[in-house]
């Protein structure tokens, strides 16, 4: 999965519209999570280890942190 995502990021990085969208998001949402790319950053994906994901899940995916909403 990591290799496919990094390859997709490389392809997207070649597209002027993607680069423009990224720059716009970074400027509009400077200190907000919306400024981060949805797929992540290739350099950060390369450093990500399975233990990082496990640790995140154990820290943040707890019953006290989950909210379920439904709309009809």
């Amino acid at each position: 999965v990591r290799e496919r995502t990094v390859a997709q990021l490389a392809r997207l990085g070649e597209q002027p519209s993607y680069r423009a969208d990224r720059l716009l998001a970074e400027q509009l949402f400077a200190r907000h999570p919306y400024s981060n790319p949805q797929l992540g950053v290739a350099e950060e994906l390369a450093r990500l280890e399975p233990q990082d994901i496990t640790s995140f899940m154990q820290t943040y995916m707890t019953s006290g942190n989950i909210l379920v909403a439904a709309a009809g």
Side-chain angles (χ1 to χ4, degrees):
V1 173
R2 181 190 331 226
E3 291 80 16
R4 285 189 304 236
T5 305
V6 169
Q8 184 177 7
L9 284 169
R11 285 191 304 273
L12 285 171
E14 295 172 356
Q15 298 177 8
S17 61
Y18 177 78
R19 292 197 316 256
D21 286 345
R22 291 298 325 127
L23 288 172
L24 181 63
E26 289 170 7
Q27 294 299 312
L28 288 176
F29 306 109
R31 290 180 296 276
H32 190 278
Y34 285 169
S35 69
N36 300 325
Q38 279 185 310
L39 293 176
V41 177
E43 294 80 15
E44 292 176 10
L45 288 172
R47 291 191 307 260
L48 193 61
E49 297 293 332
Q51 180 57 36
D52 298 326
I53 296 168
T54 302
S55 176
F56 177 87
M57 295 291 289
Q58 291 173 344
T59 301
Y60 296 104
M61 298 297 193
T62 64
S63 60
N65 287 339
I66 293 182
L67 173 68
V68 177

